[in-house]
Every structure is written in structure tokens, then in C-alpha cells.
Amino acid sequence: MKSKSLAKWLISGPPLLYLLLFFAIPSLIMAFAAFRFPGDYGGLMPLTTANPDTGATELLINFGNWRDFLTLENFQRFFDEPIYFELFVKSFWYAGLTTVICIVLAYPLAWLIARSPRKTRDLLVLLVILPFWSNFLIRVYAWMIILGPQSYFSRALNSVLAVFGVEPVSLLFSQFAVIVGLVYVHLPFMVLPLYANLEKHDMALLDAAQDLGANAWQRFWKVTWPLSLPGVWAGTALVFIPALGMFAIPDLLGGTNSMMIGNLIKQQYLDSRDWPFGSVLSIMLTFTVLLLAALAAWAGSRGKDKR
Amino acid sequence: MALLEIRDVVKTFGDFTAVNHVSLAVEAGEFFTLLGPSGCGKTTLLRMLAGFEQPDSGEILLDGKNMAGVPPEKRPVHTVFQSYALFPHMTVAQNIAFPLKMAGVASAEIPKRVDEVLEDVRLQQFARRYPHELSGGQRQRVAIARALVNRPRLLLLDEPLSALDAKLREQMQIELINLQKEVGITFVYVTHDQGEALALSHRIAVMSQGQVEQLDAPETIYSYPKSRFVADFIGQCNLLDATITEVQPGRMKVEIEGVGTAEALPVAGAQVGGKGTLTLRPEKIKLGATLPQGNADEVHFKGRVHDCLYLGDVTIYIVELDNGTLVETMLPNSGSGKAKFFDDNDLVELAWRFDAGHFVLA
């Protein structure tokens, strides 16, 4: 019994330690930073200083006067200026739209793979994850070429539009390009959990539904869709949350008006070097996502009780 | 007019002929069974009735209407699947309400109809449970209730009891018979279990290699098998190769290979020299240490017990006749105080009446 629990700790110890060191502690530091003042030259206002004579570390603050080094100003700023809230809304809209498009595109593909013969199935799954073999940035740069004004794609599209008398459109550096990029990058993360779910479905259920009078549409909505919801939720979590925090794609493919919350956070940390406000943005983002997840879980359990 | 008519139906999968020129008719209110070993085409025939497969040729008529091209969801035919195929995300009541919703039954009427059928299968208190919270027998009953609730013209049952243990199966058989009487819906039942078929059916179609070998009432199938296959497949049977040596009105003589001369009931088309099989059920053979001689209607043979199979209520004895032929017979273990009558190597006598067996021409 004792050696068993020792083995359990030995096995789970390294990953636990890793997460503690590189996730839990940084998160706490960030949460603390959100309540601190920015430093004069960026970063955080120092709490300690090195004595120029002795080189010893000295506290600059008195813990009794916590108002000297802790503040709610950063949060105040977030709630005072509507632009940050608007950016949140826009980011959620982008991530949500990306998720919905991913579900619509991934569902038929996942279904097709799940219904293929065993051998073909493995090959198709391999093809879905094949893009991961090339670097993420290279794939996004490839989209810059595809959507660029000189690409065959853009020129073909614009000449078709010209026939209908529509002004030429610029695809790159637009919201459209950002959504295309987000969908492209996240699609496999929707296909794989959906496939894993659909593959386990018992085909006899569809036969039974048809036998009992359900047409193709009803068979999908009454049987396949509700049974695939765990896969849809897993895919949604894997797509929505990373898409929400994405900054590289809006940076590369987006224009000035397609900035997302991730870009702002990156800007605060790296360009403005305002770590406290960057921390506030990060915390608000995490908090909102957790709130949404809790709401979804609550709605899900309520729905189950009703049934 | 028969409720269901199958006319010369053929179905092939590649080189394999699953159903080979099958014609039969099922009357309204009948409990009809398709019986045969696996691969005999019974399930394919059932799937064609449900509409999941289309016949290559021939016709299926339901209420006189040709079902060709009618998809499963448009047929007044529901199926109880072997795996039950209950919807795991719906409660018992929702599962049963499903066909009613699909048929567009008024939502105010649905709970009443569900309650009625739940009462028929005695599951009222389980309405709000999910399938995974039920036992095998309860799931079985939900599957039947779901298929019955919308009053199909025809209920198809695909080996519905095969997943249950022996005791529960027997209980479900009785329930099925009563349910069928009560609701009056025509059942077409597929099984490979001959005992089940004999117990449940009004009529049985014994199938082999895509064809109907014999279509009759259970007693007729058991007592007067039309072919060696039917005799062998239904119950235990001694199959004795024999040649007809004499034909008289009401009686004929056959020479059984390795046994001797015996009398049998004449069959249509019997001629002297005709070869065939005398099918003889174990329970029709008398067995004793000594048996009274002199009954002109009986034949007698001597032998010794070669093997016994003690089954509790009866013992099956494999008797080796003097000339080496093995004959299977059975005795109820009814002798008071005795577990069974004979042991291996006991000397015994066998006898059977001339009308005990049934001769099948080759």
C-alpha cells in the first residue's frame, strides 16, 4: 500500500512540479502584478533595491502601508475605457465565428473519416495532422502569399468580380484574412475530437431511427448530433480558447482594425512595457473564459435534469 | 388476402446469393418465424422487409401494396433489433415516444400512448430511467415497446432474445406470446434457436442456403420434416440411411443400413428401391433392459449403452446396436430412488412403432 502510493507520487511528481514551477507560480506572479504600479522605465515598480554601498538588498516599501505598492488603478483603467471592452467583444466574436465555421467544416469531414474503411481512416487522420509538420508561422506566411494582391487567387477573384461590376477587393490585411487564418490553423483541433467521438457511434442506432420513421434530417438532429455533443464541446474548447488569445495571425494577416485581445496583451508587455495592465488584461481574459465554461457546464447539467 | 406476401425474392451480395427465390405469405395476426442457421438468408430477408435492403428481383407486398422503393422510414413496419439499439441519450419514455414524434402524433397524446405501452411491457416505474440504468431483460422490453407503440402493421424481431441468459429467455418467450395475443400485431421473428421457434410460432419457415426448406406449423415441422436438413436442424434426431424394400397401403418396409429391416409409414412418391433417410426422434424410441415382444407394430433391436448424458430431468443414452450402429434415445429419470436407469455398457433393448419415424426420400 505504502510503496504503491510512493510510486504514484514518483510518477506524477515530475509533471506536477513542472506545472507548479512554470504555470502556477507565474500565474500567481501575474495576478500579483495586476495590482502593482508600473515602473518608471517599464515593467513593475521595484519593491527592493540594491544598496549602492554594501550591495545588499533593501526593501523600498513598508508592508504596513500597502497602498504604497498595491493599487486598483489598473483595473479602473480597464473598466473606464470602453475600447478594452469592445476589443474583448470583438475577440470573442472572432473566436466564436472561428469555432462555428470549424464545426461546420469539420463535422462532415470527421463523419467521412469515421465511416471510412479502417485502413483509409488512418491515412485520412494522418492527412489531417499533416500540416503540423511544417512550422506554424510558415503556414501563416503562406496565407499572406495566397491572399496577397498579386496572387492568382486574388486576381482570379477580382476578375470574376469585375464581370459583375464589383470593385476589386483586397483580401490580405482584413478581418476576412484573420478569420481564414484562424479557421485554417484550428480546424484539425475540431476534426480530431469529433472524429474520435463519431467513430464510436453505433450505426444500429441510425438504422433504428430510420426504421421508426425518422428521415435523414431527423436522424442527424435527434440521434447523431446529440450523441456527438461531447466531441463538439471538446473541439470547441480546443478551438475557441486558443483562437481567443491568438496574436500572431491578426499581426500577420490582419489590418489595423482586426486587432484581437492577444495583440493588446502582447503590446502591453513588449511594446508599452506596462506589465500591470498587461496582467489585468490577461486575468480578465482568463476570468471570462472560466465564467463561460462554468455557465456552459451549468446549462449542460440543467438540460440533463430536464430530460 | 395475406398481410405480407413475398414473391420470388432474390438478393445477392457479389457472388453470394443470400436469398434465393423465396416466396411466402404471412397472415394478419400471425406469429411467423424465419428459422435457420447463420448465413441462411433469414436476416437479409428481414432487412428487405424493413426496407434496408432492396430485392434484386421479386416483390414484397404489404397489404397488397408493392414495397419496392419505399424507404424504411415510410413503411408501417418496425423492428426490434438484436442489439436493441436503444437511444442512449434518451430516457425510456423518450425512446418510446420517438416513433410517435416522427409520425407527427399530437404532443398532447404522446404521454398517454407511452404510458399504455409501458403498461403492456410492465415497465411503468422505469419511464424516467436511461437505457444504461436497465437490466438486459428490461432493455429488451423497452425495445419491444418502442417498436410497438405506433402500432405497425408488421413487427420484425431480429433474434431479440439471443443476448439474454437461458432463464430470462424462457420468461421473455412467455411474455412475447402473451404480448402478441394482446396487441394482435403480426410478428415476423428471426431466430437460429429451434427451441425458441417451436415454442413461439404459429408457423415456421425453415431456411437453408437462401431457400425455404419447409413452411409449416411447429408440430408438423418437428414430426414430419420434409428433408434431412430440417430433421437434423430441428431438435435431436437419428438419421438412418435406408432403402425401401416393400410398399403396401398404409405401411412400407425399409432396410436400414447397419440396423436391419423396419416398418414405416409410406410417404408420397415411395417406390421399391427408393433411397432416403428414416428420421427417428430419440423420445419416440422405447428403451429397457427387456421389452415385451410380439407387438406386430413394433421393431426390436438389442444393443449396449455406449454413452450416457445425464441432463437432470432426462438422460440421453447413445446405444450401440449389435452391428455397431449408434442410436440416440432418451428416458426421463422418473424411476423413484434412482438417479438414472442405465450405465455405460449395460445391455438394453430398443423398440419403436412403425409410425414413430418419418421417412424422407433423398
Side-chain angles (χ1 to χ4, degrees):
Chain A
M1 192 66 206
K2 217 164 199 170
S3 69
K4 218 174 180 178
S5 74
L6 180 71
K8 217 157 71 182
W9 281 109
L10 278 177
I11 292 169
S12 56
L16 271 178
L17 196 68
Y18 187 91
L19 286 175
L20 190 72
L21 281 177
F22 300 112
F23 178 72
I25 293 177
S27 297
L28 287 176
I29 292 175
M30 192 186 75
F32 183 46
F35 294 95
R36 289 175 60 186
F37 292 101
D40 292 338
Y41 306 102
L44 300 168
M45 193 186 80
L47 298 178
T48 60
T49 186
N51 186 311
D53 300 330
T54 61
T57 306
E58 285 177 1
L59 269 181
L60 282 176
I61 49 145
N62 178 351
F63 281 106
N65 298 330
W66 57 269
R67 281 175 195 283
D68 289 348
F69 63 97
L70 290 181
T71 179
L72 286 173
E73 262 175 32
N74 306 309
F75 285 93
Q76 184 87 44
R77 180 171 159 205
F78 177 80
F79 288 109
D80 277 355
E81 291 185 44
I83 180 158
Y84 300 121
F85 179 73
E86 282 160 20
L87 197 60
F88 257 71
V89 170
K90 194 168 80 174
S91 299
F92 276 92
W93 160 241
Y94 278 16
L97 187 63
T98 301
T99 308
V100 170
I101 294 173
C102 277
I103 292 173
V104 172
L105 291 180
Y107 211 105
L109 179 61
W111 177 263
L112 185 87
I113 298 174
R115 293 296 138 243
S116 306
R118 250 248 106 83
K119 272 191 182 155
T120 331
R121 224 188 283 177
D122 296 342
L123 181 72
L124 289 172
V125 170
L126 188 74
L127 287 177
V128 168
I129 57 174
L130 199 62
F132 293 133
W133 292 4
S134 69
N135 182 281
F136 166 77
L137 284 178
I138 292 176
R139 286 183 282 139
V140 179
Y141 274 111
W143 273 109
M144 293 178 77
I145 297 169
I146 295 171
L147 298 176
Q150 293 309 311
S151 75
Y152 286 115
F153 178 68
S154 285
R155 283 193 284 176
L157 180 71
N158 280 326
S159 48
V160 170
L161 288 180
V163 173
F164 296 99
V166 181
E167 293 286 304
V169 293
S170 171
L171 297 175
L172 195 56
F173 307 131
S174 67
Q175 303 196 19
F176 169 79
V178 174
I179 296 294
V180 166
L182 286 173
V183 168
Y184 168 75
V185 165
H186 292 105
L187 194 57
F189 296 104
M190 186 61 84
V191 174
L192 293 178
L194 266 180
Y195 157 74
N197 174 284
L198 290 173
E199 190 233 9
K200 284 182 296 198
H201 282 208
D202 179 4
M203 285 301 104
L205 294 180
L206 290 182
D207 275 359
Q210 185 173 18
D211 184 76
L212 296 168
N215 61 33
W217 185 251
Q218 291 165 323
R219 292 200 291 280
F220 177 76
W221 286 113
K222 301 280 179 192
V223 180
T224 304
W225 174 257
L227 287 175
S228 69
L229 281 179
V232 173
W233 284 122
T236 298
L238 288 177
V239 170
F240 184 81
I241 295 170
L244 193 57
M246 180 63 76
F247 61 86
I249 288 174
D251 253 4
L252 295 172
L253 300 178
T256 45
N257 65 343
S258 33
M259 190 172 164
M260 290 175 72
I261 192 72
N263 301 89
L264 182 66
I265 293 173
K266 190 194 114 193
Q267 212 178 61
Q268 293 303 317
Y269 273 106
L270 299 183
D271 306 335
S272 315
R273 295 196 27 82
D274 187 346
W275 289 13
F277 192 59
S279 299
V280 165
L281 291 171
S282 300
I283 285 172
M284 291 312 293
L285 183 62
T286 310
F287 181 73
T288 319
V289 169
L290 287 178
L291 193 73
L292 280 180
L295 275 175
W298 177 73
S301 70
R302 236 177 77 100
K304 206 161 211 168
D305 287 346
K306 258 193 187 163
R307 275 210 301 262
Chain B
M1 186 183 63
L3 174 74
L4 170 71
E5 232 181 299
I6 297 173
R7 286 188 191 156
D8 202 29
V9 161
V10 177
K11 178 74 187 175
T12 55
F13 297 102
D15 295 342
F16 177 68
T17 306
V19 175
N20 194 0
H21 297 286
V22 166
S23 298
L24 54 86
V26 178
E27 300 295 329
E30 204 174 5
F31 198 129
F32 189 92
T33 297
L34 295 168
L35 172 67
S38 57
C40 74
K42 57 191 193 301
T43 299
T44 307
L45 193 56
L46 196 77
R47 286 181 67 80
M48 285 194 281
L49 297 182
F52 291 112
E53 308 281 355
Q54 294 294 326
D56 295 340
S57 69
E59 292 175 328
I60 294 171
L61 286 88
L62 189 65
D63 276 325
K65 273 208 314 251
N66 193 338
M67 287 286 113
V70 180
E73 64 265 35
K74 296 268 166 63
R75 296 189 183 200
V77 174
H78 290 174
T79 307
V80 177
F81 290 85
Q82 189 172 8
S83 63
Y84 313 150
L86 298 179
F87 303 123
H89 58 299
M90 298 183 196
T91 60
V92 168
Q94 286 168 336
N95 262 284
I96 296 174
F98 186 85
L100 298 175
K101 280 185 188 158
M102 294 303 114
V105 172
S107 56
E109 201 195 333
I110 289 178
K112 203 185 86 207
R113 298 271 298 269
V114 171
D115 284 347
E116 273 170 21
V117 75
L118 274 174
E119 205 181 312
D120 284 343
V121 296
R122 298 184 292 106
L123 280 177
Q124 298 99 309
Q125 67 272 43
F126 296 98
R128 294 172 66 83
R129 297 260 189 110
Y130 283 90
H132 69 263
E133 298 168 320
L134 302 178
S135 71
Q138 290 165 343
R139 278 182 224 176
Q140 170 66 76
R141 296 216 289 266
V142 176
I144 293 172
R146 186 179 68 173
L148 276 177
V149 69
N150 205 22
R151 310 229 138 229
R153 296 291 290 150
L154 201 60
L155 185 75
L156 308 177
L157 301 103
D158 184 8
E159 309 238 6
L161 306 185
S162 60
L164 304 178
D165 60 60
K167 196 136 199 174
L168 198 53
R169 202 177 315 159
E170 196 170 310
Q171 187 194 330
M172 281 304 300
Q173 286 178 11
I174 295 169
E175 285 191 22
L176 269 179
I177 294 174
N178 290 333
L179 191 65
Q180 201 263 343
K181 266 189 219 153
E182 223 171 276
V183 298
I185 288 172
T186 312
F187 281 26
V188 173
Y189 191 96
V190 157
T191 183
H192 66 271
D193 183 325
Q194 38 98 12
E196 215 167 276
L198 292 174
L200 294 173
S201 323
H202 296 143
R203 286 194 305 153
I204 301 173
V206 183
M207 290 187 70
S208 163
Q209 300 180 344
Q211 289 180 309
V212 175
E213 287 269 331
Q214 185 169 359
L215 200 171
D216 269 312
E219 310 83 51
T220 317
I221 297 241
Y222 187 80
S223 306
Y224 306 105
K226 273 192 187 146
S227 67
R228 202 186 150 105
F229 170 84
V230 174
D232 194 22
F233 188 73
I234 311 285
Q236 289 303 110
C237 200
N238 292 294
L239 300 171
L240 305 167
D241 291 324
T243 310
I244 300 171
T245 53
E246 200 182 314
V247 182
Q248 287 169 0
R251 203 69 72 99
M252 67 179 191
K253 275 193 174 151
V254 294
E255 178 68 25
I256 304 172
E257 271 174 49
V259 178
T261 306
E263 286 187 314
L265 281 174
V267 288
Q271 282 178 334
V272 172
K275 288 190 184 301
T277 307
L278 184 67
T279 67
L280 197 56
R281 299 288 181 191
E283 71 273 16
K284 303 258 175 149
I285 302 176
K286 288 183 195 168
L287 175 70
T290 53
L291 290 172
Q293 302 271 346
N295 187 337
D297 283 343
E298 286 183 353
V299 284
H300 268 78
F301 297 99
K302 284 191 197 310
R304 66 170 63 229
V305 175
H306 187 265
D307 276 310
C308 351
L309 283 171
Y310 178 72
L311 300 182
D313 51 349
V314 297
T315 304
I316 292 174
Y317 298 96
I318 314 286
V319 175
E320 185 177 6
L321 301 184
D322 290 345
N323 44 31
T325 304
L326 296 178
V327 175
E328 184 179 332
T329 176
M330 60 157 57
L331 269 187
N333 297 320
S334 52
S336 55
K338 271 190 196 168
K340 60 177 182 170
F341 285 97
F342 303 108
D343 283 307
D344 284 3
N345 292 320
D346 282 357
L347 291 173
V348 290
E349 287 186 20
L350 294 180
W352 66 80
R353 276 175 58 90
F354 74 101
D355 55 1
H358 175 67
F359 191 81
V360 179
L361 279 169

